[in-house]
Amino acid sequence: TTDLIKSSKLSERQHLLEELQSIRQQRDHLRQNVFPTLHRHHDELDFRHITAQQSYQYALSALESTRTQRMWAEKEYHQACRWHAFNDMFFIWHRGPFGTISGIRLGRSAVTMIGLVKKSTGSGNSASGQSANATSPSIFSWGTTVSNQDANATKSLQHAATSNNNNVHPSHVDPENVVVPWSEINSALGQIVLLLHTLQNTPFSGISFRKYVLQPCGSFSKIGLLKRNATQSASSPQRPKNERRRITALAAYLDTDNNPSTTKTEDTTQIHTKPIITPKAASLPHEVTWYNLHHYEENGSVLSLGYYARRNFNTALEALLVCIAETCLVVEKRDMAFAAPYTMRVDGLVVGKDAHLESNNSKSEGEGTVGGLPFSYDPGDGERWTLACKYLLTNLKWVMAYAVKQSSI
């Protein structure tokens, strides 16, 4: 029995040793063949993991950058939605008492702050006060403040140079009064004509003019009166009282889309929904009477021709007021919120947010007015005309706001 037990133990021990030897051989085999492969795959997986982490961080940074760019683009987009070509081309604002369009002043003359102070304080009574005000500069003046002797010398030089240059800016002579040269006034009027012509040719605007044709030519713009309409309305009180034939031989062709020869006789201030503006035949020179919407200095100017040129200019101003009134009327019919803030009465039209308060809003006789002020130019009342021009530009600002709103819909 004892021998059997020993033999069994020996056999079992031999079996265990063989298994141990087999395990050691397997281990060596794994160390030689499998472990290098595992290490290689492990290193490759580590490299892929690091690469994936780097790619993830790069994607996160790109996402943040894209998100930032998107937020900036959305901000710029919302700001760009408030932009419009009209606001850039025809920016209407003010500079003191003068209304401006594209930075160009419209108006003849205005009293500066130093002039208002002198009028209110009555500083011209005492000689000492005059000398003190003449020799000391003031922050209320819009030009260079000079002494009385220098001012007299400057005035004499300006009077001597009038024959050579008629558009010398007088604001450097009189510190109490600012006078805008006619070259700047003509440019501002040309900008207004170009604005109306652009609005008229804008699709779906519904803006057209019954009797007038616009010819935007910068500082030498013109307004033409269609003779056929003038003949038909000869017995009507809407006919301009100062209408006359041109005394010059200038006549120009103008392509326009409101030629009455190809349309029926009707009130074109009604709202039109014509999808495409097709060009029509140009008005012949003998069918249009042109009026100059530009003027010159009257003191020593050969081109001004005094009263006759001023009458031609006032006729053009009244025609311009009629075109603006018809434009504002179209805007009122479409959206009363954009009604003109200053009432315009001209050529049988009463346009404005307070037009319904007028006692006789069906007819408008006499000269055209804006905000109760006559729009015709009077050399003796330049301040009044400056204020009327400012009212007119304010009404045009409302028209531009309507145009911007309609283009953004």
Side-chain angles (χ1 to χ4, degrees):
T1 305
T2 304
D3 295 335
L4 291 174
I5 294 174
K6 288 180 179 181
S7 61
S8 62
K9 287 182 178 180
L10 289 174
S11 62
E12 185 178 356
R13 180 170 176 263
Q14 186 65 29
H15 179 69
L16 292 175
L17 289 174
E18 291 177 358
E19 289 184 356
L20 179 61
Q21 186 65 24
S22 176
I23 292 173
R24 286 177 179 176
Q25 290 177 358
Q26 292 179 3
R27 182 185 66 182
D28 293 338
H29 176 73
L30 291 176
R31 285 179 178 177
Q32 293 178 2
N33 299 323
V34 178
F35 283 177
T37 305
L38 292 177
H39 285 300
R40 187 173 63 253
H41 288 298
H42 181 268
D43 294 338
E44 185 179 355
L45 290 176
D46 287 342
F47 177 76
R48 290 182 179 179
H49 177 68
I50 295 173
T51 305
Q53 284 185 343
Q54 293 178 353
S55 300
Y56 176 71
Q57 295 296 332
Y58 177 77
L60 283 180
S61 61
L63 178 61
E64 292 295 333
S65 177
T66 306
R67 186 177 300 171
T68 304
Q69 293 180 0
R70 177 191 173 189
M71 294 175 62
W72 177 82
E74 288 180 353
K75 182 179 179 181
E76 291 294 326
Y77 170 73
H78 290 303
Q79 291 181 357
C81 288
R82 296 191 294 268
W83 298 345
H84 197 270
F86 285 140
N87 292 332
D88 295 334
M89 294 178 59
F90 310 101
F91 180 70
I92 297 178
W93 200 240
H94 64 88
R95 188 186 304 173
F98 297 98
T100 61
I101 177 170
S102 301
I104 307 172
R105 293 175 295 181
L106 179 61
R108 182 54 179 164
S109 62
V111 180
T112 61
M113 290 297 296
I114 187 172
L116 295 176
V117 170
K118 284 187 177 182
K119 287 182 179 181
S120 61
T121 58
S123 59
N125 295 330
S126 60
S128 60
Q130 292 178 356
S131 61
N133 291 330
T135 56
S136 61
S138 172
I139 61 175
F140 297 105
S141 61
W142 290 4
T144 304
T145 306
V146 296
S147 60
N148 292 333
Q149 297 179 356
D150 296 337
N152 294 331
T154 307
K155 288 180 180 180
S156 62
L157 293 176
Q158 295 289 346
H159 180 71
T162 303
S163 59
N164 297 327
N165 186 6
N166 295 320
N167 288 330
V168 176
H169 202 300
S171 61
H172 298 288
V173 180
D174 189 3
E176 301 181 10
N177 190 26
V178 174
V179 180
V180 180
W182 279 107
S183 59
E184 186 172 357
I185 298 174
N186 297 335
S187 299
L189 292 174
Q191 287 288 314
I192 294 177
V193 173
L194 181 59
L195 172 59
L196 293 176
H197 188 268
T198 305
L199 292 173
Q200 181 184 5
N201 292 276
T202 301
F204 303 102
S205 65
I207 297 174
S208 58
F209 308 117
R210 297 174 298 169
K211 302 187 301 181
Y212 299 102
V213 177
L214 301 178
Q215 185 180 13
C217 294
S219 300
F220 300 93
S221 299
K222 301 177 185 294
I223 293 184
L225 174 64
L226 299 174
K227 295 181 180 180
R228 181 173 301 179
N229 283 348
T231 304
Q232 292 178 357
S233 59
S235 60
S236 174
Q238 300 177 0
R239 178 186 177 93
K241 294 183 178 181
N242 50 0
E243 179 184 342
R244 67 180 183 88
R245 292 183 176 272
R246 280 183 52 83
I247 60 176
T248 63
L250 178 62
Y253 287 93
L254 179 65
D255 292 331
T256 178
D257 60 346
N258 59 348
N259 189 3
S261 62
T262 58
T263 58
K264 296 181 180 181
T265 304
E266 59 180 2
D267 187 1
T268 57
T269 58
Q270 297 178 356
I271 301 175
H272 302 283
T273 58
K274 183 172 56 175
I276 299 177
I277 297 180
T278 58
K280 299 180 180 179
S283 300
L284 298 178
H286 64 274
E287 295 179 354
V288 181
T289 302
W290 294 100
Y291 295 96
N292 296 328
L293 196 61
H294 52 85
H295 200 49
Y296 303 95
E297 292 285 353
E298 298 182 1
N299 295 328
S301 176
V302 180
L303 299 175
S304 64
L305 300 178
Y307 169 77
Y308 298 100
R310 188 166 66 250
R311 186 176 65 174
N312 188 308
F313 179 65
N314 285 332
T315 303
L317 287 178
E318 184 175 355
L320 179 65
L321 185 61
V322 171
C323 295
I324 296 176
E326 292 179 352
T327 304
C328 293
L329 183 61
V330 174
V331 173
E332 287 184 10
K333 289 182 178 180
R334 292 193 172 186
D335 194 346
M336 191 60 190
F338 293 96
Y342 297 101
T343 304
M344 294 179 290
R345 300 174 60 90
V346 61
D347 198 23
L349 298 175
V350 181
V351 184
K353 66 177 182 179
D354 297 331
H356 62 281
L357 300 178
E358 300 289 340
S359 58
N360 187 13
N361 56 1
S362 60
K363 295 183 180 180
S364 176
E365 300 180 356
E367 61 180 348
T369 60
V370 183
L373 299 177
F375 191 59
S376 59
Y377 172 68
D378 185 6
D381 198 359
E383 298 176 11
R384 184 265 305 164
W385 190 65
T386 299
L387 186 58
C389 292
K390 193 173 184 180
Y391 291 164
L392 185 73
L393 288 177
T394 304
N395 291 345
L396 279 177
K397 186 72 173 180
W398 258 248
V399 174
M400 288 183 56
Y402 166 78
V404 171
K405 178 185 176 183
Q406 293 299 316
S407 63
S408 61
I409 296 177

